[in-house]
Amino acid sequence: AKKIGSIVKAWMVQRGVSQEQRALITEEHWRKAVGTPLDAFTQPGNISRGALLIVVSDNLVLQELHFRKVELLQRLQHELPELNIKSLKFRLA
């Protein structure tokens, strides 16, 4: 038995789904997970070692994201299991 994430990843490579397309998929799901008006102050970045980087433009938004970190991570894991996101890292721009 194989993990679904490895099957989807192989399929994406086989079909030519690029990093840019994966980034767009991630951005769409991030926007849906975080909701408005916070989405206007955030930008998802790369996934490195299972950590999705979120660039934040405002200190108050950064604080709110830290409060909602577990909830947001669970939403993204549910919506994007193939990306194997294990944590969220926030960085002030």
Side-chain angles (χ1 to χ4, degrees):
K2 292 184 179 181
K3 288 186 174 185
I4 188 72
S6 64
I7 294 169
V8 172
K9 190 174 186 179
W11 178 84
M12 290 174 80
V13 169
Q14 200 174 39
R15 296 283 185 233
V17 177
S18 68
Q19 285 289 103
E20 293 83 18
Q21 288 169 315
R22 285 181 29 190
L24 289 175
I25 292 167
T26 304
E27 184 170 352
E28 176 185 329
H29 285 89
W30 169 253
R31 301 260 176 250
K32 199 164 43 169
V34 76
T36 55
L38 297 180
D39 67 335
F41 299 96
T42 62
Q43 179 67 41
N46 293 331
I47 300 170
S48 176
R49 297 183 183 172
L52 173 61
L53 175 66
I54 305 296
V55 180
V56 184
S57 65
D58 183 277
N59 273 323
L60 293 173
V61 173
L62 181 64
Q63 186 175 12
E64 176 67 23
L65 293 175
H66 277 291
F67 287 129
R68 295 181 53 200
K69 189 174 187 174
V70 173
E71 168 206 343
L72 294 169
L73 178 60
Q74 288 173 343
R75 283 185 182 183
L76 291 170
Q77 288 172 331
H78 177 74
E79 292 292 322
L80 299 166
E82 68 277 7
L83 296 184
N84 200 23
I85 301 170
K86 295 181 185 332
S87 65
L88 298 175
K89 291 187 177 185
F90 304 112
R91 181 175 49 174
L92 196 59

